[in-house]
């Protein structure tokens, strides 16, 4: 069965297929959001660190003004950037995102990474980071809960959390995230994390579902396999007369996981949205499950600094 929505405890429904906006450059993202929503997208994934929320806000305003959709028909996600993890910095951060997006509330607000940075700092050296013992992500998560009480975000979640960190978060705060947004695709299936989330009523959103081929070069490894060129995926696509991207997105959908493929091209946007209608057989699902390489495209190496707080092992513990 295909899944069109993931349903929350209050019966709110998040469309499984959303539009990713990371890497959509200023100048591109306006048209990308307009064409996606006009083509039927109802879920847009944003983040303040992507640097394009103002332009997305202009696109949303135009869509509302032209009566293409109403606000309550859209699911808008954004994310709290790591330099605003101190409790007093959280509300100003979401208010900035809401002002940029020209919205009164978000459907979902996520803690972007479990890593605190100093206010206003980039992530160039160890000196840009806050001590994670003095500023634990549990404290940020606890403080985020008032955003729901104030009506600024309808749902709250996290991103880039491992099973170990989710357990710590729940144990220490007694507040369960509603969503964990992580990298998931056939080369990084994260089956244990997926089971843990599903067993605990935490929805998952897959980022970089198509292998994030347009990442900036410094975020790429020279030996990395190209997901969309995988032979098994191409064979399944040919047998179903669909595209490799559709096979991947259909597989994620059938696992009960939402996905946010990024595309600024309307033809590919439509292709990706239509993947929610593609149904893989049991043997095709089995063949997909055998492709796991435990391979991250977003390695998190940018968090690892000389004399810093984190190793890759800490980030993906
Ligand atoms: P474009 O934006 O030009 O369509 P991810 O979502 O994993 O980050 O992948 C995004 C990359 O995949 C972008 O380079 C995007 O290019 C490309 N892409 C998106 N949809 C498809 C598709 N259906 N087929 C092939 N490439 C796609």
């Amino acid at each position: 069965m295909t899944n069109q929505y993931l349903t929350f405890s209050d019966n709110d429904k998040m469309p499984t297929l959303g539009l990713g906006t990371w890497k959509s450059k200023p100048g591109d993202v306006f048209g990308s959001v307009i064409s996606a929503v006009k083509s039927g997208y109802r879920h847009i994934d944003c983040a303040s660190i992507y640097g394009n929320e103002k332009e997305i806000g202009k696109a949303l305003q135009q869509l509302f003004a032209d009566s293409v959709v109403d606000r309550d028909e859209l699911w808008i996600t954004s994310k709290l950037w790591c330099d605003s993890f101190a409790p007093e910095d959280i509300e100003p951060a979401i208010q900035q995102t809401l002002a940029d997006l020209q919205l009164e509330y978000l459907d979902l607000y996520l803690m972007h990474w479990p890593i605190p940075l100093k206010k206003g700092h980039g992530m160039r050296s160890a000196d840009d980071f806050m001590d994670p013992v003095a500023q634990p992500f549990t404290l940020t998560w606890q403080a985020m809960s008032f955003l729901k009480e104030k009506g600024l975000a309808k749902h709250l979640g996290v991103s880039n959390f491992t099973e170990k960190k989710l357990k710590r978060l729940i144990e220490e705060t007694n507040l369960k995230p509603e969503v964990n947004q992580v990298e998931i695709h056939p080369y990084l299936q994260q089956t244990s994390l997926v089971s843990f989330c599903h067993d605990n009523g935490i929805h998952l959103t897959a980022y970089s579902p198509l292998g994030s081929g347009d990442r900036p070069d410094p975020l790429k490894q020279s030996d990395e396999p190209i997901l969309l060129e995988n032979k098994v995926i191409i064979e399944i696509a040919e047998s179903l007369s669909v595209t490799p991207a559709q096979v991947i997105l259909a597989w994620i959908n059938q696992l009960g996981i939402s996905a946010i493929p990024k595309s600024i091209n309307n033809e590919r946007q439509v292709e990706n949205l239509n993947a929610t209608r593609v149904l893989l057989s049991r043997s095709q699902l089995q063949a997909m499950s055998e492709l796991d390489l435990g391979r991250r495209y977003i390695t998190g190496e940018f968090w690892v600094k000389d004399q810093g707080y984190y190793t890759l092992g800490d980030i993906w513990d």
Side-chain angles (χ1 to χ4, degrees):
M1 210 184 64
T2 63
N3 296 295
Q4 300 300 314
Y5 298 97
L6 298 183
T7 304
F8 288 71
S9 55
D10 62 355
N11 219 27
D12 272 0
K13 290 175 171 25
M14 175 169 80
T16 47
L17 205 293
L19 179 74
T21 61
W22 178 43
K23 309 181 256 78
S24 293
K25 296 186 190 71
D28 286 340
V29 77
F30 178 87
S32 162
V33 170
I34 298 268
S35 70
V37 173
K38 283 190 172 168
S39 302
Y41 279 74
R42 293 293 178 264
H43 170 179
I44 315 283
D45 183 84
C46 314
S48 61
I49 196 65
Y50 302 160
N52 55 14
E53 287 191 326
K54 265 195 181 144
E55 196 172 318
I56 294 173
K58 286 184 189 148
L60 295 175
Q61 274 308 304
Q62 181 160 322
L63 290 161
F64 299 149
D66 293 347
S67 303
V68 178
V69 277
D70 290 332
R71 168 68 186 96
D72 61 5
E73 294 174 276
L74 289 181
W75 182 282
I76 310 288
T77 298
S78 185
K79 311 184 191 88
L80 177 70
W81 185 239
C82 306
D83 74 343
S84 301
F85 279 14
E88 66 274 19
D89 292 331
I90 297 173
E91 187 172 354
I94 195 173
Q95 292 289 11
Q96 184 63 56
T97 274
L98 289 170
D100 288 348
L101 292 171
Q102 303 190 47
L103 298 175
E104 285 176 2
Y105 66 89
L106 295 171
D107 296 276
L108 176 63
Y109 199 48
L110 307 175
M111 192 192 303
H112 206 145
W113 287 85
I115 296 175
L117 290 170
K118 289 179 185 162
K119 184 75 192 143
H121 282 236
M123 43 205 285
R124 276 178 299 276
S125 73
D127 191 46
D128 293 318
F129 291 66
M130 289 182 83
D131 178 344
V133 175
Q135 181 61 71
F137 57 71
T138 47
L139 193 76
T140 305
W141 179 238
Q142 236 155 0
M144 281 174 76
S145 62
F146 89 103
L147 301 177
K148 221 166 150 172
E149 287 153 28
K150 288 194 87 170
L152 299 174
K154 292 198 168 182
H155 300 278
L156 295 171
V158 295
S159 182
N160 295 298
F161 269 59
T162 58
E163 188 175 332
K164 185 171 169 188
K165 290 193 182 77
L166 283 175
K167 282 182 181 156
R168 179 179 160 201
L169 196 69
I170 297 165
E171 267 166 31
E172 289 186 25
T173 69
N174 220 8
L175 296 165
K176 215 184 261 184
E178 293 172 273
V179 172
N180 186 21
Q181 183 180 123
V182 292
E183 180 178 343
I184 293 180
H185 45 69
Y187 289 163
L188 185 71
Q189 304 198 8
Q190 309 228 53
T191 47
S192 169
L193 177 66
V194 170
S195 300
F196 176 81
C197 288
H198 283 167
D199 290 348
N200 284 279
I202 301 169
H203 289 310
L204 284 150
T205 297
Y207 74 64
S208 300
L210 303 178
S212 192
D214 58 343
R215 268 164 304 142
D217 284 341
L219 295 187
K220 288 188 172 174
Q221 274 101 40
S222 53
D223 64 336
E224 65 183 39
I226 299 173
L227 182 61
L228 288 168
E229 293 178 3
N230 179 276
K231 282 201 180 89
V232 174
I233 297 174
I234 291 172
E235 266 172 38
I236 296 174
E238 283 170 357
S239 74
L240 293 170
S241 303
V242 300
T243 66
Q246 287 179 314
V247 169
I248 294 168
L249 297 172
W251 168 76
I252 293 173
N253 182 282
Q254 279 175 260
L255 295 173
I257 297 171
S258 75
I260 45 167
K262 170 263 176 189
S263 181
I264 55 166
N265 171 285
N266 189 233
E267 213 171 293
R268 288 191 286 278
Q269 289 177 343
V270 172
E271 180 183 318
N272 296 343
L273 190 62
N274 286 341
T276 57
R277 301 199 199 129
V278 176
L279 197 60
L280 306 191
S281 68
R282 278 171 81 111
S283 63
Q284 288 165 337
L285 291 173
Q286 177 60 33
M288 294 295 286
S289 76
E290 287 165 16
L291 299 180
D292 197 5
L293 299 174
R295 175 89 197 201
R296 288 180 191 281
Y297 288 111
I298 311 303
T299 62
E301 254 161 81
F302 40 82
W303 295 119
V304 180
K305 307 292 176 195
D306 259 3
Q307 315 283 326
Y309 290 105
Y310 307 94
T311 62
L312 281 185
D314 299 327
I315 292 164
W316 306 121
D317 56 8

